[in-house]
């Protein structure tokens, strides 16, 4: 009996439930369906501060400055009239810059404020004629009518707009520039405390308006490394047009601020952070409820391999030497730029990448030195004899030369061409080995190596054997060092250099001494690093670590990712062959007649390297590019470098090489070891997990200054 009663009770309960469901579905089903259709959930993503950027020692390079901001979020059904009404009310509490207001903005506003007068600008007959055109859709007709109205608004009508109207227009422009349910910055600079307070007090009468905290990038070291750091788009710019599809696919909003170039672009996914996500429940286009879906947090911090103290000193050295030499226009009429790259040859960590260039100021007409660090990997030049180490090693690797082999340096008399000779030997014959050839920079020795690679030997007064394949052989071997190919640097826009297209045999000789193809300063740095570390081509990189954002103003956050050295390849030479070229490079710096002996023989550190000079033409005039590469200490290299001085000097009577490349090379290496000695007295450690923020006070001063300027 009890079981039967239980079954009966369950049956009755389910029957009641079915009746209730039927009542809901049949009687009120359509109403509930319409309610659901009128109500939708929309997730709004709110921007968060980007991650900071530090140098290898924990110095803040790029920081965020908090700014008071006023935002506006419109719904999908917000009308123009409603936005203008809110803009009108908001204009009572804030002052906008009206310089950006265009004539078109004024006309659009005038049409909205004077609908009857605007309608009278186009006659009924004109509208009917447009409607009678079967090729025009309704939207096409409306567009043409609106354009006719715009064209017929006179200056008199526009002059009737008051300063108050211009304020409203300026605010409305910001409203209209955003996307539905995406917060749009109305004003985030020069927002006074009074403006912020008044708007906050009157939010109830300003639907869609909100007061919040925004951020602005601050560059603690001013223009130092500025071009390498890149830029971030403004909220007005939003997503870059060339990248908009890719960003939208990743969930970005169209008006999001993102990295546009170089470090900011390369590490956008790291620096961007996690946006706060708020779910807005809307009804008939109005927000009826909101709830937090995901908390936001700042982007992760990027620690660069760059040593900012060294970077600043290198830039000062370039500025000093460049400014002194450009004053000698009789010697260096086309000199306007110089580039330096310093790196760890064992890890590929770029310690400094500096460039300076004189650029004419369009306003003052005067030439000013500007940051040109991008040129270290985007601009390529003929680099001259600096590549001779690669030429000798190519001879070894192809079996056309043996370490210590003697060849005769002599002027080459090639049929049908002018005599070609080394700079130090115009007439006689000098038996020399490969080390001595590197030391005194023999062209003749390198030409004979190139002829062997082409399958020939030098015969006086005879033509050179034509072997176009020899260019491929040389380029394939030079590529093992990073010459003529991208180095793998973790920044966009790297150049591979330019390859000569001619295959005449004479150009092969030019190639062997660095006067045919062009190379970047970064390629030279990778090349000399490959020789310095025993034959391993290491990928250069500027990102050292990625760390969590830190609330502690004195210390960086925990390490999320640490970049490891990446070996791209090892050259095909033996250790003994590489060591022989290393000895030749050491001779260049330390033995008499070495082309860098004067500068480096007395240095307090033991360095090795190779200098170079290449012919180039500027407006038909013969100029010289000068270069120098090197590393130190010679027996256990920890730093390598490359210096490129395009258009260093000209060929003219009484004009001598100013050795600008060697002066800069010596000074930057001196500075490296000076800083190393100073740091040895402190506890600075670039690999410290619990890294301190070394310039916290300077960064705070800079952010205060930026905030002051913005307010």
């Amino acid at each position: 009996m009890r079981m039967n009663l239980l079954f009966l009770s369950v049956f009755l309960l389910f029957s009641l439930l079915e009746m209730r469901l039927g009542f809901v579905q049949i009687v009120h089903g359509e109403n509930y369906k319409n309610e659901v259709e009128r109500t939708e959930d929309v997730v709004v993503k709110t921007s968060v501060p980007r991650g900071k950027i530090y140098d290898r020692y924990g110095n803040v390079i790029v920081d965020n400055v908090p700014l008071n901001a006023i935002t506006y979020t419109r719904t999908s059904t917000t009308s123009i009239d409603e936005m203008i009404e809110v803009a009108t009310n908001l204009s009572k509490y804030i002052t906008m810059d009206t310089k950006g207001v265009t004539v078109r903005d004024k006309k659009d506003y005038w049409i909205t404020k004077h609908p009857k007068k605007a309608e009278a600008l186009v006659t009924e007959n004109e509208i009917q004629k447009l409607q009678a055109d079967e090729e025009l859709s309704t939207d096409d007709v409306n567009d043409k009518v609106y354009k006719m109205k715009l064209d017929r608004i006179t200056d008199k009508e526009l002059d009737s707009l008051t300063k108050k109207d211009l304020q409203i227009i300026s605010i409305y422009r910001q409203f209209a520039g955003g996307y539905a349910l995406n917060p749009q910055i109305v004003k985030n600079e020069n927002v006074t405390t009074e403006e912020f307070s008044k708007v906050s007090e009157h939010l109830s009468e300003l639907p869609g308006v909100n007061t919040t905290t925004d951020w602005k990038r601050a560059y603690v070291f001013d223009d130092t490394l500025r071009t390498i750091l890149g830029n971030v788009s403004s909220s007005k710019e939003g997503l870059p047009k060339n990248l908009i599809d890719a960003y939208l696919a990743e969930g970005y909003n169209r008006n999001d601020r993102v990295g546009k170039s170089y470090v900011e672009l390369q590490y956008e996914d790291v620096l961007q952070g996690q946006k706060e996500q708020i779910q807005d429940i809307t009804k008939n286009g109005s927000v009826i409820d909101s709830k937090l879906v995901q908390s936001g947090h700042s982007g992760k911090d990027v620690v660069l391999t760059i040593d900012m103290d060294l970077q600043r000193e290198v830039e000062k050295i370039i500025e000093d030497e460049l400014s002194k030499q450009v004053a000698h226009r009789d010697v260096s009429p086309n000199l306007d730029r110089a580039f330096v790259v310093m790196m760890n040859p064992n890890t590929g960590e770029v310690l400094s990448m500096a460039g300076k260039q004189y650029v004419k100021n369009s306003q003052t007409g005067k030439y000013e030195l500007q940051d040109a660090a991008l040129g270290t990997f985007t601009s390529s030049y003929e680099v001259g004899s600096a590549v001779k180490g690669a030429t000798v090693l190519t001879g070894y690797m192809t079996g056309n030369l043996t370490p210590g082999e003697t060849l005769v340096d002599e002027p080459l008399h090639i049929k049908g061409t002018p005599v070609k000779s080394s700079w130090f030997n115009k007439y006689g014959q000098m038996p020399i080995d490969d080390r001595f050839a590197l030391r005194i920079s023999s062209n003749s020795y390198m030409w004979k190596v190139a002829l062997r690679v082409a399958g020939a030997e030098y015969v006086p007064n005879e033509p050179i054997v034509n072997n176009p394949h020899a260019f491929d052989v040389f380029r394939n071997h030079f590529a093992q060092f990073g010459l003529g190919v991208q180095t793998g640097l973790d920044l966009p826009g790297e150049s591979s250099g330019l390859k000569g297209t001619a295959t005449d045999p004479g150009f092969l000789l030019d190639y062997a001494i660095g006067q045919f193809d062009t190379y970047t300063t970064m390629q030279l740095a990778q090349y000399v690093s490959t020789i310095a570390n025993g034959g391993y081509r290491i990928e250069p990189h500027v990102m050292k670590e990625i760390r969590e954002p830190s609330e502690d103003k004195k210390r960086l956050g925990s390490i999320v990712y640490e970049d490891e050295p990446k070996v791209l390849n090892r050259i095909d030479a033996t250790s003994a062959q590489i060591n022989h070229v290393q000895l030749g490079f050491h001779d260049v710096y330390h033995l008499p007649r070495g082309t860098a002996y004067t500068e480096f023989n007395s240095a307090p550190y033991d360095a090795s390297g190779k200098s170079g000079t290449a012919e180039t033409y500027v407006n038909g005039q013969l100029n010289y590019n000068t270069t120098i590469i090197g590393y130190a200490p010679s027996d256990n290299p920890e730093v390598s470098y490359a210096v490129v001085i395009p258009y260093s000097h000209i060929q003219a009577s009484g004009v001598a090489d100013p050795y600008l490349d060697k002066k800069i090379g010596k000074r930057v290496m001196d500075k490296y070891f000076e800083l190393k000695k100073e740091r040895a007295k402190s506890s600075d450690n670039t690999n410290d997990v619990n890294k301190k923020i070394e310039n916290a006070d300077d960064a705070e001063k800079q952010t205060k200054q930026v905030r002051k300027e913005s307010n």
Side-chain angles (χ1 to χ4, degrees), residues 173-194:
R173 288 178 77 247
Q174 302 303 320
F175 286 5
Y179 297 88
L181 299 172
N182 285 324
Q184 174 72 11
I185 298 293
V186 177
K187 187 177 183 181
N188 63 350
E189 293 193 32
N190 302 315
V191 177
T192 66
T193 303
E194 183 179 7

Side-chain angles (χ1 to χ4, degrees), residues 245-413:
D245 291 334
Y247 278 129
L248 289 175
E250 294 178 15
Y252 283 80
N253 295 328
R254 290 180 180 271
N255 61 338
D256 279 344
R257 282 170 290 179
V258 297
K260 296 195 298 182
S261 56
Y262 302 104
V263 172
E264 293 278 16
L265 172 61
Q266 183 73 20
Y267 294 102
E268 165 64 26
D269 57 335
V270 174
L271 294 166
Q272 180 66 21
Q274 178 176 287
K275 297 180 181 180
E276 179 181 78
Q277 295 189 20
I278 298 176
Q279 187 178 51
D280 285 341
I281 301 173
T282 66
K283 180 178 180 181
N284 294 329
S286 299
V287 177
I288 59 175
D289 191 20
S290 298
K291 63 179 181 179
L292 181 66
V293 176
Q294 175 179 280
S295 297
H297 61 73
S298 300
K300 291 179 173 58
D301 297 335
V302 172
V303 179
L304 301 182
T305 61
I306 299 293
D307 176 349
M308 284 302 282
D309 289 335
L310 178 63
Q311 175 74 23
R312 296 175 79 186
E313 293 297 333
V314 170
E315 290 189 7
K316 288 178 184 177
I317 291 168
I318 294 175
E319 289 178 0
D320 180 41
E321 294 293 346
L322 192 59
S323 62
K324 286 190 294 188
Q325 186 57 36
V326 295
H328 300 284
R329 305 316 292 172
D330 56 329
V331 175
S332 307
N334 301 303
L335 174 64
D336 67 345
R337 68 196 72 180
F339 305 101
V340 175
V341 170
M342 303 183 78
M343 63 190 295
N344 184 323
N346 305 300
T347 65
E349 293 184 350
V350 178
L351 306 176
S352 172
M353 48 194 311
K356 291 292 178 179
Q357 181 176 1
Y358 276 99
V359 178
K360 189 174 184 179
N361 187 310
S362 59
Q363 296 180 340
T364 64
K366 297 181 179 180
Y367 283 89
E368 301 172 350
L369 268 177
Q370 293 185 4
D371 181 41
L374 292 179
T376 58
F377 64 94
T378 61
S379 300
S380 61
Y381 305 91
E382 299 94 339
V383 300
S385 300
V387 306
K388 287 178 178 176
T391 299
V392 170
L393 280 161
T394 297
Y396 297 159
M397 291 187 281
T398 57
N400 290 292
L401 188 69
T402 57
E405 183 173 354
T406 296
L407 298 176
V408 177
D409 181 290
E410 60 184 324
L412 300 191
H413 296 268

Side-chain angles (χ1 to χ4, degrees), residues 88-107:
T88 302
N89 291 332
L90 183 58
S91 68
K92 300 174 184 176
Y93 311 117
I94 66 173
T95 301
M96 297 287 289
D97 182 2
T98 60
K99 291 180 181 179
V101 175
T102 65
V103 173
R104 173 60 187 268
D105 294 329
K106 294 177 182 179
K107 289 183 176 182

Side-chain angles (χ1 to χ4, degrees), residues 590-602:
H590 293 281
L591 294 183
R593 298 188 69 181
T595 55
Y597 171 79
T598 302
E599 289 77 20
F600 284 93
N601 180 52
S602 60

Side-chain angles (χ1 to χ4, degrees), residues 1 13 16 67 107 119-120 143 175 200 235 262 278 317 321 348 380 396 422 445 474 509 537 560 574 633 700:
M1 179 64 71
L13 288 171
L16 289 172
L67 301 173
K107 289 183 176 182
E119 289 294 331
D143 289 342
F175 286 5
S200 298
S235 57
Y262 302 104
I278 298 176
I317 291 168
E321 294 293 346
S380 61
Y396 297 159
S422 298
Y445 194 99
F474 260 109
L509 305 187
R537 179 177 166 233
V560 176
T574 66
E700 182 63 22

